[in-house]
Amino acid sequence: EVQLVQSGAEVKKPGESLKISCKGSGYSFTSYWIGWVRQMPGKGLEWMGIIYPGDSDTRYSPSFQGQVTISADKSISTAYLQWSSLKASDTAMYYCARRGYYDSSGYYVQGAFDIWGQGTMVTVSS
Amino acid sequence: DIQMTQSPSSLSASVGDRVTITCRASQGISNYLAWYQQKPGKVPKLLIYAASTLQSGVPSRFSGSGSGTDFTLTISSLQPEDVATYYCQKYNSALTFGGGTKVEIK
């Protein structure tokens, strides 16, 4: 079964650092882009950035550039989302998601997010 | 940056009604458009990609259309299990989401 399993909920204080994870299984982890999506309480979905675990090529949404770091360790099929100094406004659910698919010719199509992790709730409060 | 605008932001319809949600891109995006369904407290689910291709396992009452800047998601006969918020997303270059449309049963 293709799945992404995220790390558990976190409660942190402002100014603390945090790294959450997303482990892929059931498919070739290095062959698909992985994205991160934020959902603040009661709000919509926001794309944060994507990474290609095969070579760690990373792209950020302008809204999140410099605010977070996305990385991956292909040896353990895991992607990460990291903060160096959390703010209360970082309180949200964070999802990882697999992007795209391979067509009948074996060509990778950089499409939509087809497989999602279960989400990691991050609460930042003093 | 290309903005994605959904309308309406919410709607209420009866079981069996035909429901249409619109997504407009501020610039042309060809057919690089996906639709997601997020039920309350659940993980988003991909419904449609390439503007009109139904993801495997998605009921055929869902359909998508459009190209360029204007897109629609249609539920041909609304069912109670369709209560959810629906999001469009462009995926050429930046993967921007629309603001969402909350669908409720009247």
Side-chain angles (χ1 to χ4, degrees):
Chain A
E1 179 192 7
V2 175
Q3 59 179 348
L4 297 171
V5 178
Q6 298 184 227
S7 49
E10 301 274 2
V11 179
K12 293 289 191 178
K13 290 181 169 31
E16 292 186 332
S17 63
L18 176 64
K19 191 174 190 177
I20 63 175
S21 66
C22 168
K23 183 174 177 62
S25 62
Y27 74 100
S28 175
F29 186 74
T30 55
S31 301
Y32 292 78
W33 289 82
I34 291 284
W36 287 95
V37 175
R38 183 176 80 175
Q39 187 167 39
M40 300 176 75
K43 302 298 184 183
L45 305 174
E46 301 173 271
W47 167 65
M48 302 177 73
I50 51 173
I51 187 165
Y52 188 75
D55 61 7
S56 290
D57 186 9
T58 307
R59 317 280 170 83
Y60 293 93
S61 161
S63 299
F64 291 92
Q65 179 82 48
Q67 308 304 307
V68 296
T69 300
I70 294 171
S71 61
D73 184 341
K74 62 184 180 182
S75 69
I76 55 172
S77 300
T78 300
Y80 301 98
L81 178 64
Q82 182 174 7
W83 296 260
S84 58
S85 180
L86 286 160
K87 303 184 278 289
S89 57
D90 292 317
T91 295
M93 181 71 83
Y94 293 89
Y95 295 102
C96 64
R98 189 184 78 167
R99 182 188 182 190
Y101 62 94
Y102 283 82
D103 67 14
S104 56
S105 303
Y107 177 74
Y108 178 66
V109 179
Q110 291 200 41
F113 291 134
D114 67 336
I115 304 294
W116 292 66
Q118 83 275 21
T120 296
M121 184 65 206
V122 174
T123 302
V124 184
S125 174
S126 55
Chain B
D1 291 357
I2 298 175
Q3 306 303 314
M4 305 301 293
T5 303
Q6 284 184 236
S7 60
S9 57
S10 66
L11 66 88
S12 181
S14 299
V15 172
D17 281 356
R18 184 181 185 88
V19 169
T20 298
I21 298 168
T22 296
C23 178
R24 176 163 289 173
S26 59
Q27 296 176 42
I29 59 169
S30 185
N31 69 336
Y32 296 104
L33 193 283
W35 290 96
Y36 299 87
Q37 175 193 63
Q38 186 178 32
K39 296 183 178 181
K42 300 298 186 183
V43 177
K45 173 187 174 183
L46 177 64
L47 295 178
I48 287 168
Y49 62 96
S52 61
T53 303
L54 209 61
Q55 176 74 346
S56 176
V58 173
S60 59
R61 63 180 180 274
F62 291 94
S63 64
S65 64
S67 183
T69 59
D70 294 313
F71 302 87
T72 58
L73 172 70
T74 299
I75 308 173
S76 61
S77 177
L78 186 68
Q79 299 301 305
E81 60 266 33
D82 299 335
V83 168
T85 300
Y86 294 84
Y87 296 92
C88 64
Q89 181 199 33
K90 62 175 282 296
Y91 54 84
N92 65 326
S93 188
L95 290 87
T96 309
F97 289 94
T101 297
K102 187 174 184 179
V103 174
E104 298 175 321
I105 299 290
K106 194 180 294 182

